[in-house]
Amino acid sequence: MSALTFPQSDTSRRIGDAERAAILADPGFGTHFTDFMAHARWSEASGWSEDEIVPFGPITLSPASAVLHYGQEIFEGMKAFRHDDGSVWTFRPEQNARRMQRSAARLALPELPVEDFLASITALVRADEPWVPAPTGETSLYLRPFMYASEPFLGVRASHAVDYLVIASPAGAYFPRGVQPLVVWVTDAFARAGAGGTGSAKCGGNYASSLLAKYEAGEQGADEVMFLDSETHTFIDELSGMNVFAITEDQRILTPQLTGSILEGVTRASILQLAEDRGLTPVEERLAYDRVCEDLRAGRITEMFACGTAAVINPIGEFRDRHGSVRVGDGGSGETTLSLREELTGIQYGRLEDRYGWMTRLV
Ligand SMILES: *Cc1c(COP(=O)(O)O)cnc(C)c1O
């Protein structure tokens, strides 16, 4: 058993208070990075070691590193939230830790123990504490743990050397002008994941293969793409980085069951719980896209939304496909959708009671 602590020897900051304040005033998403990063290394001979908090900066990599050739890489996405009393919290981090272990197993990468994952997050957020934005609007510090095959070797087998890093990036409100419903293109040309593939692992390769479909969506005037199952192009899988939900007239909340080609979202699991506790009946089943369109036209499905850590909950206003389009409700943001969003962000920012024990204090 390893027990990593991620000690910090160099505590000098890259930028000054004024420069950081200017960035935090309008951080955008994923463009600015904090002063530090967490790093650990794994080798087949000695397991996890060399854990430390180091200044954020370029990494050196052999051009022969396996990740650059065969894509052996996984990642996670989570947020640190500042509460009104100045404390800093994160949401269900042990879920991300376990999911990263499942992703690692699928990609033949080493599993990082849950405690070590949590230690890396805690150490980094403590070092980068001034980067956690004040709780105005929906700002947060986005955390990106990732792991990749760094062994310089062109043979095809699991890498004997792996690097794990956590970087952090301040994130502004996802919806600075209020929540905006998505127009979603339903592709029948591309699939996100196939049976037995890597769909349920959070790996970079899934995103590389979804980019072209996202451009196709853009050409159709849509914001996002939705993928159907790869075998029959019948059942809804998910968007390129968000899970999908529908709410029915008779108070059921539907989401595609986890078939192995869908990413097990922490937001998805949390919404199922919140929805059940407010009297909706959660149903996880295969959802045929054609059937969903019929139910939308007949008013049996009244709201739909996508969810994930970045947007939390994003209403869907319209689907477009090769045959036409269908509106969701009146095309705006559904009432239950917005209310679930309010509840989940309320828990995350400490405005509502954390009745499930989902929050972990970091600072
Ligand atoms: C990360 C991700 C999600 C959302 O997961 P959360 O844990 O809720 O952030 C959904 N789909 C894909 C493909 C993802 O990579």
Side-chain angles (χ1 to χ4, degrees), residues 20-339:
R20 184 176 57 250
I23 291 171
L24 290 182
D26 184 19
F29 181 81
T31 49
H32 299 284
F33 299 94
T34 57
D35 294 313
F36 300 107
M37 60 187 186
H39 178 233
R41 194 159 266 159
W42 178 89
S43 73
E44 195 171 60
S46 40
W48 289 104
S49 64
E50 296 180 48
D51 50 308
E52 55 181 344
I53 299 293
V54 293
F56 178 92
I59 50 179
T60 55
L61 207 55
S62 164
S65 291
V67 63
L68 300 177
H69 304 274
Y70 309 125
Q72 198 190 359
E73 186 267 358
I74 57 172
F75 67 95
E76 273 300 323
M78 45 209 296
K79 285 174 172 173
F81 306 94
R82 175 93 61 193
H83 286 187
D84 283 330
D85 65 359
S87 59
V88 178
W89 301 70
T90 192
F91 182 71
R92 309 189 76 179
E94 66 293 335
Q95 298 293 321
N96 296 88
R98 290 199 201 104
R99 184 170 67 192
M100 193 168 206
Q101 291 185 324
R102 294 194 294 275
S103 298
R106 179 64 184 84
L107 274 285
L109 285 161
E111 290 180 19
L112 181 68
V114 170
E115 314 77 67
D116 294 338
F117 179 94
L118 299 177
S120 70
I121 299 298
T122 306
L124 180 63
V125 173
R126 286 186 182 158
D128 275 328
E129 188 272 334
W131 283 97
V132 184
T136 47
E138 262 180 34
T139 53
S140 63
L141 184 64
Y142 184 80
L143 305 172
R144 167 57 57 87
F146 61 107
M147 191 190 289
Y148 56 88
S150 45
E151 183 184 0
F153 177 60
L154 294 183
V156 179
R157 59 152 168 74
S159 181
H160 291 172
V162 169
D163 281 76
Y164 167 74
L165 287 122
V166 189
I167 57 173
S169 174
Y174 196 88
F175 295 109
R177 285 171 301 280
V179 173
Q180 304 287 330
L182 292 169
V183 175
V184 173
W185 168 250
V186 183
T187 181
D188 60 5
F190 300 107
R192 198 189 145 266
T198 56
S200 62
K202 207 168 174 76
C203 63
N206 290 341
Y207 280 73
S209 72
S210 73
L211 292 176
L212 199 54
K214 264 191 113 146
Y215 284 113
E216 186 192 57
E219 282 163 15
Q220 301 295 332
D223 308 297
E224 261 290 351
V225 60
M226 186 165 79
F227 295 98
L228 305 178
D229 77 284
S230 64
E231 277 157 85
T232 67
H233 285 283
T234 303
F235 300 101
I236 296 174
D237 268 356
E238 60 170 312
L239 309 191
S240 58
M242 287 191 272
N243 296 118
V244 177
F245 277 88
I247 298 172
T248 65
E249 199 188 17
D250 59 355
Q251 300 300 298
R252 287 174 303 134
I253 182 161
L254 320 176
T255 194
Q257 73 185 67
L258 301 170
T259 54
S261 56
I262 295 174
L263 200 283
E264 292 175 48
V266 178
T267 318
R268 175 189 181 278
S270 307
I271 287 166
L272 284 170
Q273 176 90 61
L274 291 178
E276 181 162 25
D277 290 354
R278 60 163 68 195
L280 294 165
T281 305
V283 179
E284 295 178 73
E285 63 183 13
R286 301 204 85 181
L287 288 182
Y289 171 63
D290 285 349
R291 180 71 199 279
V292 165
C293 289
E294 271 172 43
D295 287 348
L296 283 169
R297 290 199 176 93
R300 288 186 293 268
I301 289 177
T302 51
E303 302 181 28
M304 289 194 70
F305 62 84
C307 68
T309 293
V312 192
I313 287 178
N314 197 329
I316 296 173
E318 182 187 329
F319 289 105
R320 290 184 190 160
D321 60 42
R322 210 155 42 83
H323 308 289
S325 70
V326 56
R327 239 186 339 166
V328 180
D330 62 4
S333 304
E335 202 180 310
T336 304
T337 300
L338 290 181
S339 162

